[in-house]
Structure formats: C-alpha cells, structure tokens
Amino acid sequence: MEVLRSIIGKVATGATLTREETASAFDSVMSGYATPSQIGALLMGMRVRGETVEEVTGAALAMRNRMRRVEATCDPVGLAGTSETLKYSVNVSTCASFIVAGAGTPVAKHANRAASSGSIAAAVLARLGVKVALKPEAIARCVQEADIGFMFASAHYPAMQRIGQIRTAVGTHTIFNLIEALCNPAGVKRQIVGVLSPEWVQPLAYVLKNLGAESVWVVHGSDGIDEITLTGPTFVAALEAGIVRTFEVTPEQAGLPRCRNDALESSDAETNAVALQNVLDGVPGPFRDAALLNAAAALVVAGRASTLQEGVALGQESLDRGAAAARLKRLIAVSNA
C-alpha cells in the first residue's frame, strides 16, 4: 500500500510513471488491495495529465496478468473498440466478425459488457439466440468449432465490477477504456482496435507493439466512431513487421459508397438484431457496406487479403454463399450445447 501511495503522489505532481511503476499500481487495483479513493485518484491524475505509451503498456500488462484466459487452439483475429461511444448505432463490428469467420478466418471478439457498445453487442447476440454468459473453456470451444467466439470483460476480469462502479462515479473516460481493448483474453496477435480519440491512434499501435502484437490496425473514424467509418475518411496506424505507419482510408478505396451519418442509427437492440440478421441473409444497404469495410480490414490484418478491395470481395463471398450466416447458426448451437 505504501508503494501505491507513493505512485499516486508522483502522479499528483504531474510526473509520468515508468512501465514497471504503472504495472505495480494497476496490479494493486486489479487485485482488490487499492481503496476506491486510491483508484479514483490514480485514474483522474493520469487522465488530467494525459497517459503515456509506457503507462498504458504497464497497465495493460497488469490487466493481462489478472484476466481469465481463453485457450484457443487456432490463431484467431481480434476485433475490439475502446467502447462507450456516444452514438447508438447498429453493431458493425459484430456483423463484421461473422463475415470474417465465414471467410475462413477464426474470430475472437472482445467487448466490455458494461459499456454502451458492449451492452448492445451482448443484447443483440442474446436476441439472435447466442448464449453470451459462457466460461472461458466454452468460448474456446466456440472459436474452435464455430470459428467465432465473443468475450465480455465482466467474465474475464473478476475485479472489473468493483472498478466499474468507481469509473461510473468518476464520470469520464479513463485509462481502462484504452487497456480493455488491448487485453483480448484469447491472446490474439492480430487485431483491429477502434479508438474514440484520434490522438490515441498512433500511440496505441506502439503500445500493442510493446505487448507483442504482430499485425494491428488502430482506427478512428472521422465522424467520431471507434470503427472504420462509411461516412468519410478513417485514420489508421498499422503495425506491420514491427514498424508502425499511419495513413487514411476511405470507403471509395474499398470500392464502397459513402453513406449519411444517420444511416446506421438504431433505436434498440431488437432493431439491431433484425438488421444484423438481414445483412447475413443478403439484404443490401449501408449496414452491409459498413460491415464489409470493417471485415475487409480484419482480413488484411489477418493476412488473408492484401488490399481493402480484396478483403471486400472475400467478405461479399462470405455473405453471398451463406457462410457468414452459417457461422451464426453454428455459434448458436455450440454456445447453447
């Protein structure tokens, strides 16, 4: 506890922490030794000053050491966002996950069930018939047998319920919004990570490099979403062969049309579930295009496609031959077994 108090005191002066100091502090937070006041002080001190790459790396290492892992025997690709988006929209990344799985690339998708976008994902999957309250070994079986599995933070980080209450009281985004997206319980080395702030696009690519990732796209849509957007350009930082490079992508580069900001809005999880099923059943429209765009990027990261256009073509084939829809049916069966 003295070490934690010392670290909080250092943060209070505006000084930055080393990777080791941050890992130590967040190990105390995740283990339950830190008091609510200490957790709040640490989170807000770092938030006000601004977190560094080394601090995010250390906090993510502490969380990874405490998480309940999913031992997938294949090599899945991950999709995740920093969540708590201000928009209630159709769940593009969930739909994209089925498209990627249907294209023959296993997916281990991670979401924070307590945050807004995670809640939507869980509710949508439940309405489609998927059992979402699964133990790690059952999720591993889904990834292995259905080529797709969904992991919610509440099931993999025992301390997150208590910490979540403190985060709610703090009332603003904290370092947890960043590190949750970096801590995929399946230990994926290839992943798409969406962030809500453009200032974190490049730094998080370096964090993931520090954490041992092999192939990564960190993305931020110019309309403010933590996905690749269909409404305009998306800012990307890609980790490829140990090198981070930044660039922008547009829907036109993938051969897809742009859409209006309100084209992907959704009023509730039931509407969202119907819309997702429609895409898997072959219904065209902006939702299908947005899912294809994000699926294409995941296929590029997974090494299945060399360009977004090639990834879109693979995704279209996944939908048109019914493979994506078959992955949902198989997931329903395996998750409920």
Side-chain angles (χ1 to χ4, degrees):
M1 295 297 288
E2 285 297 328
V3 173
L4 180 58
R5 278 195 287 266
S6 174
I7 290 173
I8 293 172
K10 184 175 180 179
V11 171
T13 68
T16 61
L17 303 177
T18 66
R19 185 184 305 187
E20 293 72 23
E21 287 173 326
T22 313
S24 174
F26 277 82
D27 183 70
S28 295
V29 169
M30 297 294 293
S31 65
Y33 291 126
T35 68
S37 296
Q38 289 174 324
I39 295 172
L42 179 65
L43 296 180
M44 283 306 298
M46 298 177 75
R47 165 73 172 170
V48 171
R49 187 248 295 147
E51 302 89 348
T52 68
V53 167
E54 284 297 289
E55 288 171 341
V56 177
T57 301
L61 285 170
M63 178 174 260
R64 287 184 173 199
N65 287 336
R66 292 281 177 178
M67 70 184 178
R68 293 170 176 164
R69 297 183 179 274
V70 172
E71 302 295 341
T73 56
C74 55
D75 184 20
V77 64
L79 292 88
T82 50
S83 72
E84 295 192 9
T85 177
L86 299 178
K87 301 181 179 182
Y88 194 91
S89 61
V90 288
N91 200 276
V92 171
S93 60
T94 298
C95 189
S97 297
F98 287 109
I99 295 173
V100 172
T105 297
V107 175
K109 188 180 185 325
H110 186 216
N112 175 12
R113 188 172 185 174
S116 58
S117 61
S119 296
I120 296 170
V124 168
L125 290 168
R127 281 167 170 75
L128 291 170
V130 177
K131 185 176 181 180
V132 295
L134 297 177
K135 294 182 178 180
E137 56 269 26
I139 298 170
R141 189 166 61 249
C142 289
V143 175
Q144 184 65 33
E145 298 182 15
D147 285 336
I148 186 167
F150 290 84
M151 301 164 292
F152 297 96
S154 57
H156 298 274
Y157 312 114
M160 288 310 295
Q161 183 173 357
R162 173 172 172 264
I163 295 170
Q165 295 170 349
I166 299 169
R167 291 168 63 189
T168 299
V170 167
T172 185
H173 290 176
T174 70
I175 193 172
F176 276 106
N177 292 92
L178 299 174
I179 64 175
E180 283 172 341
L182 309 180
C183 298
N184 186 301
V188 298
K189 298 293 186 181
R190 305 167 299 164
Q191 60 183 314
I192 300 283
V193 176
V195 294
L196 285 178
S197 173
E199 68 187 53
W200 277 108
V201 172
Q202 187 177 45
L204 283 196
Y206 282 105
V207 171
L208 284 163
K209 178 182 177 181
N210 290 342
L211 294 171
E214 297 173 358
S215 178
V216 168
W217 274 25
V218 181
V219 303
H220 171 76
S222 57
D223 55 357
I225 65 171
D226 58 346
E227 294 170 342
I228 303 176
T229 182
L230 204 62
T231 68
T234 294
F235 311 113
V236 183
L239 172 63
E240 302 160 337
I243 304 297
V244 174
R245 66 185 182 96
T246 59
F247 52 93
E248 293 183 11
V249 298
T250 64
E252 291 84 359
Q253 287 176 272
L256 296 169
R258 297 192 184 196
C259 73
R260 291 163 47 97
N261 286 337
D262 59 359
L264 298 175
E265 290 182 355
S266 175
S267 58
D268 53 50
E270 182 62 37
T271 303
N272 203 330
V274 172
L276 192 154
Q277 185 66 65
N278 285 342
V279 171
L280 298 185
D281 289 341
V283 177
F287 190 6
R288 173 186 167 107
D289 291 343
L292 281 170
L293 182 55
N294 282 268
L299 290 167
V300 169
V301 166
R304 289 289 314 284
S306 57
T307 66
L308 286 176
Q309 281 196 330
E310 185 178 336
V312 168
L314 289 172
Q316 289 172 332
E317 182 183 0
S318 172
L319 288 171
D320 294 342
R321 63 186 177 87
R327 291 304 89 203
L328 171 59
K329 291 179 181 178
R330 183 60 180 157
L331 178 61
I332 293 169
V334 176
S335 66
N336 283 282

